[in-house]
């Protein structure tokens, strides 16, 4: 659901009338900056179904998520993905030959390694007989990689799958203009000097203008930042509310990092540089400092700024997913069951759960405004009836259970890798806090969303 709002926005009534429906209940995060772990919860029913294979996550890791342009800037995506795979192999000691399939998510592809899953797998020492493919679904690419792995296991095609994702925003492909590309291709085909000179005579200086990549939807040419700004305005989410939420994310992430709770992070010895051991984008500030920043997208009146947006991030993640019986036969103690589907209300209804049953929420934080607008929509009967085909609202997730170890705003958001981080955060929180059900959700460009129930494995 977290991204569907952006898509629905295009068909909304006028912003001022829309905002009035949601302006009566401001959302403040200032009282939640020191959220405490959820209390020990009483065991509930399992979501296992007869005659359906249980799929479990044994463990998952990620490289430290770094601001683009820092320690990973001289690497290629498959280098970072390989580091995640090697970290997973070291963490789990799973024999490479046992892995039946590898699937990775990525968004902005390096053209030399378009199937980055395959290149990373070979670099990590997996056999060339182990199939590997790459999926792309914007910011839920790793979520789709996991879902693909679950499907392969549930259908009986595989017993052991490694799913993950990678993004390297430090080095994105920059292309020649289409006219220049066409000329170069034609020159390559030209057989005589006359043909080459004829083609070169058509050259113009504007052919040299490069095509820079943009985080924008092809169908609308709108960036996610613009969508987030308009979404915040539509749902009457103020600049102060967005800054408060971002400060909460950074503060909780710093606390989790200092307490050693981010155990999925594995050290990465960057070639030619020092070993990177932790995320470097966690930067708690103050509301006063954040208020000084200018709007990043809609100027001068927008409310989305660099401080309340996720930052361009480099990083990779990897997760070992198995059929339950295979994991137990190999002596593993799984961390959680995976129960994927799409969108928050759908996954809850399919599982027969309500928000009250969920012990740990892990939602992707693309922008503060995106999260807070979704909160308001989820807490609105009017929105549910007019835009979701529901009689009643979904409900508001309690902040004391929501992203309590930080989120994408503070930990970082490598587009193709975030999904695995969300699932491992939910699984690790459930184990530490004694909960049973976690709810993972993320948004993606094009009005797409993904949600998954993570059920703690019984101790």
């Amino acid at each position: 659901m977290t991204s569907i709002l952006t898509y629905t926005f295009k068909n909304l009534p006028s912003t001022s009338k829309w905002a009035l429906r949601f302006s009566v209940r401001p959302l403040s995060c200032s009282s939640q900056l020191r959220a405490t772990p959820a209390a020990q919860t009483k065991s509930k029913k399992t979501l296992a179904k007869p005659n359906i294979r249980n799929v479990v996550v044994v463990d998952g890791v990620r490289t430290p998520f770094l601001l683009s342009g820092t320690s990973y800037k001289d690497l290629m995506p498959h280098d970072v993905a390989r580091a995640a795979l090697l970290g997973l192999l070291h963490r789990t000691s799973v024999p490479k030959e046992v892995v039946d399939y590898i699937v990775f998510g990525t968004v902005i592809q390096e053209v030399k390694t378009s199937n980055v899953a395959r290149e990373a797998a070979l670099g990590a020492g997996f056999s060339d007989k182990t199939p590997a493919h790459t999926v792309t679904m914007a910011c839920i690419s790793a979520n789709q990689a996991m879902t693909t792995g679950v499907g392969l296991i549930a259908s009986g095609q595989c017993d052991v799958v490694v799913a993950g994702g990678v993004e390297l925003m430090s080095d994105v492909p920059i292309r020649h203009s289409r006219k220049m590309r066409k000329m170069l291709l034609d020159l390559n085909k030209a057989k005589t000097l006359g043909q080459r000179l004829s083609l070169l005579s058509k050259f113009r200086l504007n052919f040299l203008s490069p095509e820079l990549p943009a985080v924008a939807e092809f169908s609308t040419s709108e960036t996610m930042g613009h969508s987030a700004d308009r979404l915040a305005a539509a749902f009457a989410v103020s600049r102060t509310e967005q800054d408060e939420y971002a400060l909460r994310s950074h503060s909780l992430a710093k606390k989790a990092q200092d307490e050693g709770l981010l155990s999925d992070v594995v050290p990465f010895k960057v070639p030619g540089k020092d070993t990177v051991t932790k995320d470097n984008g966690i930067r708690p500030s103050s509301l006063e400092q954040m208020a000084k920043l200018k709007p990043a997208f809609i100027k001068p009146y927008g409310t989305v700024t660099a401080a309340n947006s996720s930052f361009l991030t480099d990083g990779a993640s990897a997760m070992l997913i198995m059929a339950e019986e295979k994991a137990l036969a190999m002596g593993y103690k799984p961390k959680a069951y995976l129960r994927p589907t799409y969108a928050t209300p759908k996954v809850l209804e399919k599982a027969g759960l309500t928000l009250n049953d969920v012990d740990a929420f892990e939602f992707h934080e693309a922008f503060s405004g995106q999260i807070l607008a979704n909160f308001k929509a989820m807490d609105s009967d009017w929105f549910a009836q007019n835009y979701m085909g529901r009689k009643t609202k979904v409900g508001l997730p309690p902040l004391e259970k929501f992203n309590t170890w930080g989120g994408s705003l503070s930990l970082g958001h490598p587009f193709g890798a975030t999904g695995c981080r969300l699932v491992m955060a939910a699984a690790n929180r459930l184990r530490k806090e004694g909960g049973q059900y976690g709810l993972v959700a993320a948004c993606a460009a094009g009005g797409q969303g993904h949600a998954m129930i993570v059920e703690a494995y019984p101790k």
Side-chain angles (χ1 to χ4, degrees):
M1 167 165 177
T2 39
S3 176
I4 296 172
L5 291 185
T6 304
Y7 189 79
T8 305
F9 185 94
K10 298 165 188 173
N11 299 314
L12 297 180
S14 67
T15 299
S16 58
K17 293 180 181 179
W18 178 260
L20 286 175
R21 297 186 181 274
F22 298 94
S23 60
V24 295
R25 186 178 180 185
L27 295 165
S28 176
C29 300
S30 57
S31 63
Q32 300 292 341
L33 293 181
R34 291 181 175 85
T36 55
Q40 179 79 18
T41 55
K42 187 166 61 176
S43 181
K44 311 176 185 76
K45 65 176 182 178
T46 178
L47 299 182
K49 295 182 179 179
N51 303 318
I52 295 181
R53 268 185 133 185
N54 278 325
V55 181
V56 298
V57 52
V58 172
D59 213 336
V61 303
R62 61 183 178 92
T63 67
F65 285 179
L66 303 186
L67 291 156
S68 63
T70 56
S71 294
Y72 299 159
K73 65 180 181 180
D74 296 325
L75 302 180
M76 292 179 66
H78 72 285
D79 295 320
V80 189
R82 179 178 66 239
L85 286 173
L86 291 172
L88 184 67
L89 291 171
H90 183 264
R91 173 73 61 89
T92 62
S93 299
V94 64
K96 298 186 189 75
E97 62 273 12
V98 170
V99 176
D100 299 312
Y101 209 100
I102 298 170
V103 54
F104 259 58
T106 197
V107 179
I108 301 179
Q109 293 184 342
E110 161 61 56
V111 294
K112 293 181 178 179
T113 57
S114 57
N115 186 3
V116 70
R118 178 66 166 175
E119 302 303 332
L122 293 175
F126 284 90
S127 167
D128 58 5
K129 296 180 174 61
T130 304
H133 82 267
T134 302
V135 298
T136 186
M137 202 174 181
C139 297
I140 55 175
S141 295
N143 304 69
Q144 182 54 50
M146 288 183 289
T147 302
T148 299
V150 170
L152 288 170
I153 294 172
S155 64
Q157 298 180 65
C158 298
D159 290 324
V160 182
V161 173
V162 171
V166 64
E167 210 69 43
L168 191 76
M169 296 303 295
S170 289
D171 181 27
V172 295
I174 299 174
R175 306 197 303 175
H176 282 296
S177 69
R178 190 177 185 92
K179 291 179 179 179
M180 190 67 184
R181 298 199 307 271
K182 185 176 185 300
M183 172 171 283
L184 290 173
L185 291 171
D186 288 343
L187 279 170
N188 191 51
K189 296 176 183 177
K191 299 184 182 303
T192 66
L193 178 61
Q195 290 174 333
R196 295 189 185 96
L197 293 174
S198 176
L199 286 168
L200 289 172
S201 69
K202 298 175 183 178
F203 172 78
R204 300 293 181 270
L205 279 177
N206 64 6
F207 286 16
L208 297 177
S209 299
E211 289 184 0
L212 300 176
V215 185
E217 292 186 58
F218 177 80
S219 56
T220 64
S221 297
E222 185 174 61
T223 67
M224 293 295 97
H226 281 89
S227 293
D229 228 328
R230 296 197 298 117
L231 193 62
F235 283 85
V237 179
S238 70
R239 164 78 177 266
T240 300
E241 288 176 301
Q242 293 175 61
D243 287 349
E244 284 182 345
Y245 183 86
L247 178 57
R248 173 188 186 269
S249 182
H250 280 273
S251 299
L252 292 176
K254 182 68 166 63
K255 183 174 183 289
Q257 189 179 68
D258 290 346
E259 294 178 359
L261 299 178
L262 306 180
S263 58
D264 57 332
V265 177
V266 292
F268 177 19
K269 175 62 175 74
V270 181
K273 298 183 180 180
D274 294 335
T275 298
V276 181
T277 60
K278 62 182 182 179
D279 308 318
N280 72 357
I282 303 174
R283 298 180 179 180
S285 182
S286 68
L287 291 176
E288 292 73 24
Q289 288 296 112
M290 296 167 76
K292 295 178 182 179
L293 296 182
K294 295 181 179 180
F297 299 98
I298 298 180
K299 303 174 182 180
Y301 303 114
T303 58
V304 175
T305 71
N308 56 44
S309 307
S310 55
F311 49 87
L312 297 180
T313 314
D314 300 336
S317 58
M319 181 182 294
L320 182 59
I321 304 172
M322 290 188 178
E324 182 181 24
E325 67 271 19
K326 181 71 172 183
L328 295 179
M330 292 185 65
Y332 287 112
K333 181 59 186 292
K335 286 198 170 183
Y337 295 108
L338 299 181
R339 322 283 191 192
T341 188
Y342 290 84
T344 296
K346 289 184 179 180
V347 74
L348 289 172
E349 289 171 359
K350 187 172 183 180
L353 301 175
T354 68
L355 286 180
N356 291 332
D357 295 313
V358 178
D359 304 304
F361 293 84
E362 285 291 333
F363 279 32
H364 166 46
E365 302 167 348
F367 304 90
S368 292
Q370 159 249 338
I371 285 287
L372 297 177
N374 275 275
F375 278 1
K376 291 193 176 188
M378 293 171 74
D379 202 34
S380 167
D381 285 323
W382 181 86
F383 185 86
Q385 292 160 7
N386 287 273
Y387 287 91
M388 299 179 68
R390 298 172 54 88
K391 294 181 180 179
T392 59
K393 62 188 179 183
V394 178
L396 187 65
L399 276 183
E400 65 270 15
K401 297 180 179 179
F402 192 89
N403 290 12
T404 58
W405 292 358
S408 300
L409 288 170
S410 50
L411 300 172
H413 173 40
F415 301 146
T418 288
C420 289
R421 180 194 67 76
L422 293 170
V423 168
M424 288 313 304
N428 288 333
R429 281 180 56 197
L430 290 175
R431 287 172 68 88
K432 181 172 179 59
E433 299 166 8
Q436 183 165 352
Y437 296 129
L439 175 59
V440 170
C443 59
Q448 302 178 104
H450 182 274
M452 178 183 289
I453 295 292
V454 177
E455 182 182 350
Y457 199 80
K459 294 182 180 179

